[in-house]
Amino acid sequence: MKTVKIARKLPRIRKRLGDILIEAGLIDQKILEDALAAQKVQNKKLGQVLVDMGAVEETDIADVLSKQLGIPFLRLKQVKIQKEAISFISKEMAEKYSIIPLLEKDNKLIIAMSNPLDHNAIEDIQFVVSKPVFIGLSTLSDILDAIERSYPKSDLKEDVIPTTEFDASIDIIPIAKADEKTDQDLMSLADLPPVIRFTNAIIADAIGRRASDIHIEPQKDDQNKTILTVRCRVDGIMHEALRTDRHVHGPMVSRIKIISGLDISERRKPQDGKAQVVYGKEKYDLRVSSIPTTYGEKITMRILDPATARMSPEDLGFSDNDLNTILDAISRSQGIILVTGPTGSGKSSTLYACLNNLNTPLVNIITVEDPVEFDVAGINQVQINAKAGITFAAGLRSILRQDPDIVMVGEIRDAETAEIAFQAAQTGHLVLSTLHTNDAPSAVTRLLDLGVDDFQISSALIAVVGQRLVRRIHDDCKVQDDLSPKIMGRIQPFIDNVTQPTFWKGAGCTACQNTGYMGRMGIYEILLVTSPLRNLIKPNVSLETLKDVARKEGFQAMPEDGIAKALQGLTTIEEVFRVAPPEIKAEVIPPKKPTLPGKVAFIEKESKSKLPTYEESLSDPSTSDRIPAFAEDGREEISDLPITVLVVDDEEVDRMIICDALESENYVTVVAENGNEALEKVKEEQPDLIVTDYIMPQMNGMVLVKNLKADKKTSDIPILMLTSIDDVDSEVVVMEAGADDYLTKPVNRKRFLIRVKSLLRRKSYEMC
């Protein structure tokens, strides 16, 4: 090994790297400010940002630091790295601090690092190795290269293949070649057979699960290690598919970029691309999006099911009355039809289904979309391209010169698009489009806010369809659902004409991944613009006035359609409440509250003869809620106070469903929206049980549990943790943090109540 003099103790220099480089004349203040701004976005060390910007060379930074700090500058290619030294520092720590151990001798460790000003790193290393540390200086690229050469390499095949038991029978249809400027190393890794098989397996598994999206996310696990998480959205709900080693992330992302025509050498900017795959006999389009995150690039792939492009209005789940209404509306020769709802509510599918119904050789149909989701034969589709000047407004204005009969505009986003669309609807064109509003009647007030004249709306608007997507009950495991009195009270005004209502749910089975659901369907409301409504459309018309008149004209709100479909056994009341809860129309009388042994009021000892003994109370059902005990002062205790359960969840609908289940068993519920609020409620209410969500803003469930168990005053309160993360590792972490039980969401009502009773029973035994 080359003999060098290594500095051990560094002076505590207060100057920062940027200031040192400015003093040395390598950069100026403007470059430093630009680099600091970029550093906040890129989450890289300042020196690396400056090198990426081309402001300085790595060797220049190292040379300046070497002279300022009086420690030697080492080129690691000339230094032999001792194998024994590598064992003192883990690869993760070496990469985290950009260091490499070089030599261990006489109980001293010599290391090279790229930033000797990082005193926290030096102190951490000193603590880990528990011996004197001597420091040399090297460039970041030299250190990373040395780490790659010196540490044992992870076998990509061993990392990937054993963790995947998926069907990898998928073919990639190449649609674009990788950019000539792509990084050759990444490209080589991306072409490795294990990487190709792994990526294909992920996509094939997602399609097999009927997923609409695949999320490939680099994250930190509970041990603060970077891992790769793959999640899929199935029937609108996210499910974790797998977790694997972080070394798989780079090659996998590069593989996805290659098949979707993205630049694999560009990792600092968001990119969008597309790909095609063949699974079974079907060809699927993938919309691919990449975005840089704290721990690396996140990839999202939208899977476009070709069956969606072939749907007709009859396939969407409209009731007979709504189906007749929508078919009549789209048969008009001119006017505008709008579909409203949030992102992911199926608006585009509804538009495509209507276009399929209208698509004949007798009409000219042109669409302007962002993006074009499905290629439909016989329809002329225009892709939005803002860089080329093709916006919704510009595209719509252009296609009106193409002699269309029917025009579909992907979305009305601004006043200009709205104005052109309504002008087209009044000049012999049938226009279909979407609008972001909460319900159908709100579309009228939204259009007025965009500046569309009231006379244009009243003369051109044919109908507005409001919609949401709910999960279908899996028929193979369908069972009867016994709703609580509170839920029945909420929906009773909507089912007064039903003598013996029966509702259903899925018990859960292997085929539906124990969710009880299989597939999705729409629930709808259709505002047909009749003469009374046309006369109401004025600049200052209120939404409530529109709704009142619409109801008189036969308008049925979305929750009513959902409840009707739940009565038919197509979906559950829980799903309807999740996406479109009905308005509260009747006051629900709170039920009688039960009692819990141990939560007591005192009575004087003189009345003891009137009370049953402990043994009698256990054997006598009539006294099961009045189990006496003796206090230290000789007074006798009797339980006559209600059981209080604190429900902590930031999602209002989830809180409502959980509280309803608890109140059906006569428990008193108190709610909090996050961990901070929960800590205050615990002090005020002194609950007998806490039910908390895992993921919440401000303070999550994990931190809440740790705080409660660390406090002697609250450590004995049983805690039931709810989370949508369904894996063994998460359960272990939650239970180790101090939670008494753990359930995954969406929660099975019966299972949830059994767990609640079990925890309360356990507490009562401990107190008796």
Side-chain angles (χ1 to χ4, degrees):
M1 177 175 173
K2 181 180 177 182
T3 302
V4 292
K5 184 179 179 181
I6 308 291
R8 178 184 172 189
K9 293 183 178 179
L10 294 177
R12 281 278 183 173
I13 295 178
R14 297 298 179 184
K15 289 182 180 178
R16 295 170 295 183
L17 176 62
D19 297 329
I20 292 175
L21 296 179
I22 289 177
E23 287 184 4
L26 292 180
I27 62 173
D28 57 28
Q29 186 64 36
K30 178 65 169 61
I31 292 176
L32 176 59
E33 291 173 357
D34 291 344
L36 291 172
Q39 185 187 24
K40 294 179 181 178
V41 178
Q42 299 177 20
N43 193 35
K44 293 181 178 179
K45 293 180 172 62
L46 178 61
Q48 185 60 43
V49 174
L50 288 166
V51 171
D52 291 344
M53 292 171 57
V56 292
E57 296 292 334
E58 278 189 307
T59 51
D60 293 335
I61 297 176
D63 186 57
V64 169
L65 288 176
S66 175
K67 293 176 181 177
Q68 285 275 349
L69 301 176
I71 59 177
F73 173 27
L74 307 177
R75 297 314 302 258
L76 296 183
K77 292 180 180 178
Q78 304 170 6
V79 177
K80 183 179 179 181
I81 298 174
Q82 186 187 63
K83 291 183 179 180
E84 290 78 5
I86 294 295
S87 63
F88 286 97
I89 296 177
S90 68
K91 186 176 182 181
E92 287 75 19
M93 190 173 193
E95 290 176 332
K96 178 181 179 181
Y97 291 130
S98 301
I99 62 172
I100 182 74
L102 304 176
L103 174 67
E104 193 275 333
K105 188 175 182 181
D106 298 331
N107 200 36
K108 300 179 181 66
L109 183 67
I110 300 171
I111 68 170
M113 62 190 307
S114 64
N115 182 15
L117 295 174
D118 190 347
H119 298 286
N120 291 330
I122 296 170
E123 289 170 357
D124 286 353
I125 295 164
Q126 182 81 53
F127 177 79
V128 169
V129 301
S130 299
K131 61 180 60 188
V133 176
F134 288 74
I135 298 166
L137 179 66
S138 187
T139 64
L140 178 61
S141 59
D142 273 8
I143 290 176
L144 294 179
D145 180 65
I147 291 173
E148 185 66 23
R149 286 187 288 109
S150 304
Y151 280 92
K153 292 181 173 57
S154 174
D155 188 337
L156 188 60
K157 182 175 181 180
E158 292 179 359
D159 283 341
V160 174
I161 301 304
T163 66
T164 57
E165 297 179 358
F166 304 138
D167 176 11
S169 56
I170 192 166
D171 294 326
I172 304 296
I173 302 175
I175 60 170
K177 293 183 178 179
D179 194 298
E180 292 180 358
K181 298 179 181 179
T182 54
D183 186 276
Q184 292 300 316
D185 292 335
L186 282 174
M187 186 174 291
S188 298
L189 283 172
D191 287 334
L192 287 175
V195 176
I196 295 173
R197 288 196 298 269
F198 180 60
T199 306
N200 289 357
I202 292 294
I203 299 172
D205 178 66
I207 295 174
R209 290 171 179 248
R210 302 172 296 101
S212 60
D213 300 89
I214 307 171
H215 294 255
I216 298 166
E217 304 164 325
Q219 297 177 340
K220 288 284 186 182
D221 65 6
D222 298 315
Q223 284 73 43
N224 205 34
K225 293 182 180 179
T226 305
I227 59 171
L228 176 66
T229 302
V230 179
R231 297 194 295 165
C232 298
R233 188 178 296 278
V234 181
D235 294 336
I237 306 296
M238 293 289 283
H239 298 274
E240 186 171 303
L242 66 87
R243 292 185 181 187
T244 188
D245 191 89
R246 65 184 182 84
H247 296 294
V248 180
H249 176 254
M252 184 181 180
V253 168
S254 299
R255 176 63 187 166
I256 294 171
K257 285 185 172 183
I258 287 173
I259 67 174
S260 55
L262 302 182
D263 182 357
I264 69 170
S265 64
E266 179 56 73
R267 295 181 289 277
R268 296 172 296 178
K269 296 180 181 178
Q271 297 186 72
D272 295 302
K274 59 183 179 180
Q276 282 189 327
V277 300
V278 175
Y279 180 77
K281 297 181 179 179
E282 290 283 2
K283 183 187 296 183
Y284 292 82
D285 289 323
L286 305 179
R287 286 213 324 255
V288 181
S289 172
S290 73
I291 188 170
T293 68
T294 304
Y295 305 115
E297 282 187 283
K298 178 184 186 297
I299 298 288
T300 300
M301 291 186 281
R302 169 66 56 86
I303 303 172
L304 302 176
D305 189 343
T308 304
R310 300 190 292 266
M311 288 196 301
S312 66
E314 290 82 359
D315 302 322
L316 297 177
F318 285 111
S319 65
D320 292 340
N321 183 59
D322 285 347
L323 179 61
N324 292 331
T325 300
I326 196 69
L327 291 176
D328 177 68
I330 64 176
S331 67
R332 309 282 183 91
S333 60
Q334 71 174 42
I336 186 167
I337 299 169
L338 297 175
V339 182
T340 71
T343 301
S345 60
K347 300 187 297 296
S348 297
S349 298
T350 299
L351 290 181
Y352 275 107
C354 292
L355 291 179
N356 286 335
N357 183 276
L358 298 169
N359 188 13
T360 70
L362 303 177
V363 293
N364 178 23
I365 302 176
I366 305 181
T367 73
V368 54
E369 307 171 59
D370 184 23
V372 174
E373 293 196 3
F374 300 100
D375 294 325
V376 183
I379 295 179
N380 305 284
Q381 297 170 274
V382 177
Q383 168 74 52
I384 289 297
N385 187 345
K387 292 182 179 179
I390 306 177
T391 61
F392 275 119
L396 180 55
R397 189 179 287 108
S398 298
I399 65 177
L400 289 178
R401 294 192 286 269
Q402 295 291 317
D403 186 31
D405 298 296
I406 300 166
V407 174
M408 191 268 272
V409 183
E411 182 184 346
I412 293 179
R413 296 178 178 175
D414 51 52
E416 184 180 9
T417 306
E419 182 181 359
I420 300 170
F422 272 85
Q423 289 175 355
Q426 291 177 294
T427 55
H429 306 89
L430 178 65
V431 180
L432 286 75
S433 189
T434 69
L435 194 66
H436 279 285
T437 61
N438 288 329
D439 53 31
S442 299
V444 174
T445 55
R446 172 63 176 153
L447 290 170
L448 290 169
D449 291 340
L450 284 174
V452 182
D453 293 329
D454 54 341
F455 70 87
Q456 286 184 314
I457 300 173
S458 59
S459 62
L461 187 60
I462 300 172
V464 182
V465 180
Q467 67 179 71
R468 299 288 191 278
L469 292 177
V470 294
R471 291 180 288 175
R472 285 181 176 270
I473 296 174
H474 186 211
D475 288 333
D476 292 349
C477 60
K478 183 188 290 187
V479 296
Q480 190 169 328
D481 189 7
D482 298 324
L483 300 183
S484 69
K486 183 174 182 179
I487 292 291
M488 287 299 298
R490 287 284 301 274
I491 65 176
Q492 191 61 49
F494 304 100
I495 57 172
D496 283 337
N497 58 336
V498 182
T499 54
Q500 292 183 330
T502 302
F503 295 93
W504 303 87
K505 64 181 179 180
C509 63
T510 304
C512 64
Q513 302 176 49
N514 294 311
T515 63
Y517 298 98
M518 180 73 78
R520 288 192 290 177
M521 64 182 300
I523 58 174
Y524 302 92
E525 60 184 21
I526 301 181
L527 179 72
L528 192 61
V529 184
T530 58
S531 295
L533 280 171
R534 294 185 195 281
N535 296 331
L536 275 179
I537 299 176
K538 302 295 180 185
N540 296 322
V541 64
S542 72
L543 183 59
E544 288 304 318
T545 302
L546 286 171
K547 288 183 178 180
D548 289 341
V549 175
R551 290 189 189 100
K552 294 176 183 178
E553 292 293 301
F555 172 73
Q556 182 186 55
M558 211 180 308
E560 299 174 55
D561 185 46
I563 292 169
K565 286 169 179 172
L567 274 169
Q568 297 171 40
L570 301 174
T571 189
T572 63
I573 286 294
E574 183 178 337
E575 272 295 284
V576 177
F577 273 53
R578 182 176 68 87
V579 302
E583 297 177 0
I584 299 177
K585 294 191 175 183
E587 183 179 354
V588 180
I589 300 174
K592 181 183 177 182
K593 309 302 178 186
T595 58
L596 174 69
K599 188 165 185 180
V600 300
F602 289 104
I603 60 173
E604 296 303 320
K605 191 172 181 180
E606 287 79 356
S607 62
K608 178 180 177 182
S609 59
K610 299 179 183 179
L611 295 173
T613 66
Y614 179 73
E615 290 76 11
E616 289 172 343
S617 65
L618 288 176
S619 59
D620 185 357
S622 66
T623 62
S624 60
D625 285 338
R626 303 173 69 244
I627 302 176
F630 289 97
E632 291 181 359
D633 60 0
R635 292 183 299 173
E636 191 172 287
E637 304 175 357
I638 182 169
S639 299
D640 61 354
L641 297 181
I643 298 174
T644 301
V645 181
L646 174 62
V647 179
V648 191
D649 199 314
D650 60 318
E651 293 291 339
E652 182 179 0
V653 174
D654 288 347
R655 290 199 308 270
M656 183 185 69
I657 292 172
I658 294 168
C659 288
D660 174 73
L662 292 167
E663 290 168 5
S664 70
E665 296 294 321
N666 296 332
Y667 300 119
V668 176
T669 59
V670 180
V671 299
E673 296 185 8
N674 56 63
N676 288 332
E677 185 180 343
L679 290 177
E680 296 299 322
K681 290 291 178 71
V682 169
K683 295 177 183 177
E684 298 171 4
E685 304 292 339
Q686 298 181 353
D688 302 290
L689 174 71
I690 297 173
V691 179
T692 179
D693 191 20
Y694 191 154
I695 300 174
M696 297 181 294
Q698 297 186 32
M699 181 189 291
N700 63 32
M702 182 70 70
V703 179
L704 173 63
V705 170
K706 291 180 179 178
N707 284 336
L708 291 170
K709 294 301 181 181
D711 189 337
K712 291 183 178 180
K713 296 179 180 178
T714 58
S715 60
D716 63 336
I717 302 176
I719 301 174
L720 174 59
M721 179 77 80
L722 306 179
T723 178
S724 57
I725 304 174
D726 186 10
D727 65 74
V728 176
D729 291 340
S730 296
E731 181 174 354
V732 170
V733 170
V734 168
M735 299 299 283
E736 287 181 346
D740 298 273
D741 206 346
Y742 173 96
L743 277 177
T744 55
K745 298 166 65 175
V747 174
N748 178 285
R749 187 187 185 92
K750 288 185 178 179
R751 184 179 294 117
F752 170 68
L753 291 175
I754 288 172
R755 298 288 184 87
V756 167
K757 291 177 181 178
S758 175
L759 289 174
L760 290 172
R761 191 179 301 116
R762 189 189 312 168
K763 179 182 179 182
S764 69
Y765 288 162
E766 291 171 354
M767 298 180 68
C768 286

